[in-house]
């Protein structure tokens, strides 16, 4: 049986039960919806499991916002028919819309949480290219507001050399950074070959295998899309 938390709530084309309600064009459209939602779900899981902020999935986010608009318009059209079949389809569309909205909200909230936590690190390491335009503006404004707040509260009463918020040297590190050596679960989507994961011998990362290891050695492969976090 189909698991709701797995694929999209829309059934595949081979499902005879829902074929009674959907025509061929609808079923093809639903397969495209499934693909879009799955891409968003994987982007959400990668962001949730990664210790650092990843590249903003602009195409995936835009595609799913368009999907919501399309489904809402489709729902309004179906409501006008006042039939049992239309009511059934409206319920399915509404369930899908709410599911996609949840994933989008959670994905964007995760990224804002990381920006709040690692704002200085993101600005200092020039990681702005990983952010959307709105996120870059938010990160810059958040950092300036935080800096001004500290200045008003106590930094203005301290010597000039102690007013910095991003000092890093052998004795002190004021920049909070993500722990890239934390362990993560990952699924390999491409044959990568031997990788030094910190063990006695390199680990062969073969397609369709699942591993748990430190994030740092996997970082470049995640950014390349050759592995997925789980």
């Amino acid at each position: 049986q189909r698991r709701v938390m797995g694929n999209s709530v829309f059934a595949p084309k081979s499902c005879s039960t829902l074929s009674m309600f959907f025509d061929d064009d609808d079923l093809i459209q639903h397969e495209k919806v499934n693909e879009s939602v799955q891409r968003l779900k994987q982007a959400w899981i990668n962001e949730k499991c990664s210790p650092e902020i990843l590249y903003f999935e602009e195409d995936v986010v835009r595609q799913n916002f368009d999907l919501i608009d399309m489904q809402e318009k489709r729902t309004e059209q179906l409501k006008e028919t006042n039939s049992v079949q239309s009511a059934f389809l409206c319920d399915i569309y509404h369930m899908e819309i709410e599911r996609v909205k949840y994933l989008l909200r959670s994905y964007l909230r995760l990224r804002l949480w990381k920006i709040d936590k690692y704002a200085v690190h993101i600005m200092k390491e020039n990681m702005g290219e990983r952010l959307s335009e709105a996120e870059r503006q938010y990160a810059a404004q958040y950092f300036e507001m935080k800096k001004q707040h500290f200045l008003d509260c106590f930094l203005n009463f301290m010597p000039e050399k102690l007013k910095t918020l991003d000092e890093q040297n052998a004795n002190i590190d004021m920049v909070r950074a993500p722990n890239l050596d934390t362990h993560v679960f990952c699924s390999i989507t491409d044959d990568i070959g031997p990788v030094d994961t910190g063990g006695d011998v390199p680990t062969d990362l073969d397609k369709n295998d699942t591993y748990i290891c430190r994030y740092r050695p996997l970082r470049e492969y995640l950014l390349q899309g050759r592995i997925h976090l789980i």
Side-chain angles (χ1 to χ4, degrees), residues 2-67:
R2 184 168 47 89
R3 292 183 299 172
V4 173
M5 291 305 293
N7 292 328
S8 171
V9 295
F10 288 122
K13 188 173 182 178
S14 60
C15 180
S16 59
T17 302
L18 288 186
S19 293
M20 298 169 57
F21 298 93
F22 296 106
D23 57 30
D24 289 343
D25 290 339
D26 281 334
L27 289 170
I28 293 173
Q29 182 62 44
H30 296 158
E31 290 178 356
K32 294 179 180 179
V33 169
N34 289 344
E35 181 181 352
S36 299
V37 175
Q38 283 301 111
R39 289 180 64 197
L40 174 61
K41 182 181 178 183
Q42 189 57 61
W44 171 65
I45 294 174
N46 286 344
E47 196 68 60
K48 189 176 182 65
C49 297
S50 169
E52 64 176 342
I53 195 164
L54 303 176
Y55 283 93
F56 179 64
E57 297 283 358
E58 184 174 358
D59 291 340
V60 175
V61 171
R62 183 187 298 111
Q63 190 176 43
N64 279 273
F65 272 119
D66 292 342
L67 166 65

Side-chain angles (χ1 to χ4, degrees), residues 5-169:
M5 291 305 293
N7 292 328
S8 171
V9 295
F10 288 122
K13 188 173 182 178
S14 60
C15 180
S16 59
T17 302
L18 288 186
S19 293
M20 298 169 57
F21 298 93
F22 296 106
D23 57 30
D24 289 343
D25 290 339
D26 281 334
L27 289 170
I28 293 173
Q29 182 62 44
H30 296 158
E31 290 178 356
K32 294 179 180 179
V33 169
N34 289 344
E35 181 181 352
S36 299
V37 175
Q38 283 301 111
R39 289 180 64 197
L40 174 61
K41 182 181 178 183
Q42 189 57 61
W44 171 65
I45 294 174
N46 286 344
E47 196 68 60
K48 189 176 182 65
C49 297
S50 169
E52 64 176 342
I53 195 164
L54 303 176
Y55 283 93
F56 179 64
E57 297 283 358
E58 184 174 358
D59 291 340
V60 175
V61 171
R62 183 187 298 111
Q63 190 176 43
N64 279 273
F65 272 119
D66 292 342
L67 166 65
I68 291 173
D69 291 338
M70 179 189 69
Q71 301 293 61
E72 287 179 338
K73 291 177 181 178
R74 178 63 171 157
T75 301
E76 291 301 318
Q77 293 173 353
L78 289 170
K79 286 180 179 178
E80 298 176 357
T81 62
N82 293 321
S83 67
V84 174
Q85 177 176 334
S86 297
F88 174 75
L89 294 179
C90 283
D91 288 341
I92 291 182
Y93 282 130
H94 180 71
M95 183 165 50
E96 184 68 9
I97 289 169
E98 292 305 312
R99 181 168 180 258
V100 175
K101 284 182 177 180
Y102 169 80
L103 288 174
L104 282 169
R105 286 193 297 261
S106 184
Y107 174 71
L108 296 175
R109 280 199 303 264
L110 276 170
R111 294 182 59 81
L112 287 178
W113 177 80
K114 289 183 179 182
I115 292 173
D116 287 348
K117 190 173 184 179
Y118 303 121
V120 179
H121 170 75
I122 291 172
M123 303 294 288
K124 193 175 182 65
E125 296 297 322
N126 296 320
M127 299 174 69
E129 62 180 5
R130 297 192 181 191
L131 311 180
S132 67
E133 181 61 31
E135 287 174 338
R136 282 193 290 271
Q137 294 178 8
Y138 174 81
Q141 292 174 2
Y142 176 82
F143 176 72
E144 289 301 321
M145 290 175 62
K146 184 177 181 180
K147 181 179 179 181
Q148 189 60 48
H149 174 70
F150 286 160
L151 286 170
D152 294 341
C153 289
F154 58 88
L155 289 181
N156 280 333
F157 305 101
M158 301 180 70
E160 192 65 32
K161 65 179 181 179
L162 299 178
K163 290 184 178 182
T164 60
L165 297 176
D166 57 356
E167 183 176 355
Q168 291 178 297
N169 55 50

Side-chain angles (χ1 to χ4, degrees), residues 181-211:
D181 290 316
T182 189
H183 283 72
V184 295
F185 287 93
C186 66
S187 175
I188 312 302
T189 60
D190 187 20
D191 288 321
I192 296 176
V195 174
D196 183 7
T197 58
D200 295 332
V201 295
T203 303
D204 288 323
L205 302 183
D206 299 323
K207 186 176 181 178
N208 298 326
D209 283 350
T210 301
Y211 299 89

